[in-house]
Amino acid sequence: GQQLNQSPQSMFIQEGEDVSMNCTSSSIFNTWLWYKQDPGEGPVLLIALYKAGELTSNGRLTAQFGITRKDSFLNISASIPSDVGIYFCAGPTIYNQGGKLIFGQGTELSVKP
Amino acid sequence: DGGITQSPKYLFRKEGQNVTLSCEQNLNHDAMYWYRQDPGQGLRLIYYSQIVNDFQKGDIAEGYSVSREKKESFPLTVTSAQKNPTAFYLCASSNSGGPLFQFFGPGTRLTVL
C-alpha cells in the first residue's frame, strides 16, 4: 500500500539555524500536506501543496511539491524555540476514500536556545 | 468559533473497563476520523465516517467501536478487548466536498491502570 517515509526522524538544532526535512513515497501523490504538532496537542495544518513543482511559503516555512510527485520538502528558516514539535507530511490515498489521509511517521524537532 | 472539541483532555481508567471518548465539531464537516498516536510514532487510523449513520474501519479498528448518529458527533469507545489502550487519541474532521486536509481536535490522553 501507499506509505510515506519522513527523514530525518529527529533533529536537534541551535536557535537561528535553518532546518530541512523531507517526505518520500514509492507512489504518486496529487496533494501534499504538512502539519505541525505541538507537544500534547493536535496537529495543525501548515502548508498544502496541489501541483508538481509548486513552492509555497508560510512565514519562515517553505514547502515544495517534488517534480516526480513522489516527494515533498519542508524548510524552516531561522528557527526559534516555538518551532519545537513534530512535523508530519500527509497525502490522500490513491482512491481518495472519503478524504482519508496517509501520514508519515513524523520528524521531531528540538531547538536549543 | 468553529472547531473540534475533545473531552476530557486526560482520562484514567482501570483495566477491563470500557471508556468512551467524546469528539464534537461545529465546522459542518461531513467526514470525521479517529487516530491513535503512541510515543515516537505517527498517526494510525482507527475508524472514519464519511456521512451520518455510516462508518468504516481503519487500519487498527480491533478493540474499538464508534457511532455516528449526528453530523457533529463521533464518539469512540475503547473496549476491554483493546490490548494496549493507553495512548493519545486524536479526532479530526474534513469537508468531503472541499479541500482534502483534515482539522484536528486537541486530543485525549487515555491511561489505563
Side-chain angles (χ1 to χ4, degrees):
Chain A
Q2 291 181 305
Q3 283 187 317
L4 293 177
N5 300 305
Q6 286 188 249
S7 65
Q9 287 192 336
S10 60
M11 302 180 75
F12 297 85
I13 63 168
Q14 198 78 28
E15 182 177 358
E17 288 183 359
D18 295 343
V19 173
S20 290
M21 61 187 78
N22 67 66
C23 186
T24 61
S25 173
S26 57
S27 305
I28 289 173
F29 279 73
N30 291 322
T31 299
W32 287 95
L33 307 172
W34 284 94
Y35 285 86
K36 182 200 176 194
Q37 184 180 29
D38 288 331
E41 298 296 330
V44 173
L45 183 70
L46 298 173
I47 292 177
L49 302 161
Y50 299 105
K51 203 160 57 170
E54 181 181 353
L55 190 71
T56 297
S57 293
N58 178 5
R60 293 178 296 106
L61 277 63
T62 301
Q64 184 162 23
F65 193 138
I67 294 289
T68 65
R69 293 163 65 191
K70 293 184 178 181
D71 55 11
S72 179
F73 309 89
L74 178 69
N75 296 317
I76 304 173
S77 62
S79 58
I80 59 178
S82 61
D83 289 334
V84 163
I86 303 175
Y87 292 80
F88 291 102
C89 62
T93 64
I94 192 168
Y95 300 110
N96 189 20
Q97 302 158 35
K100 246 174 92 170
L101 295 176
I102 297 172
F103 285 84
Q105 75 275 33
T107 292
E108 186 164 9
L109 179 64
S110 300
V111 179
K112 187 176 177 185
Chain B
D1 283 330
I4 301 175
T5 56
Q6 292 185 244
S7 60
K9 181 68 175 174
Y10 300 95
L11 193 52
F12 296 87
R13 279 294 182 269
K14 289 184 180 178
E15 195 173 341
Q17 290 181 334
N18 291 355
V19 59
T20 298
L21 281 60
S22 164
C23 177
E24 304 276 333
Q25 55 98 359
N26 60 5
L27 300 165
N28 200 33
H29 283 170
D30 296 311
M32 297 185 73
Y33 312 81
W34 274 106
Y35 294 90
R36 171 183 172 136
Q37 186 177 28
D38 294 288
Q41 296 195 28
L43 308 179
R44 292 186 290 170
L45 183 64
I46 305 172
Y47 269 98
Y48 65 103
S49 167
Q50 300 176 50
I51 198 168
V52 174
N53 292 323
D54 187 47
F55 48 82
Q56 287 80 39
K57 292 182 179 179
D59 301 318
I60 56 165
E62 186 175 348
Y64 299 97
S65 66
V66 294
S67 62
R68 186 87 188 276
E69 297 175 3
K70 297 187 293 183
K71 186 176 185 178
E72 58 270 23
S73 179
F74 191 40
L76 173 76
T77 296
V78 184
T79 75
S80 55
Q82 169 49 234
K83 294 191 171 102
N84 297 298
T86 294
F88 190 51
Y89 291 88
L90 287 159
C91 179
S93 70
S94 68
N95 187 351
S96 56
L100 295 171
F101 46 81
Q102 295 175 10
F103 293 89
F104 283 85
T108 292
R109 186 166 299 280
L110 172 65
T111 302
V112 176
L113 306 169

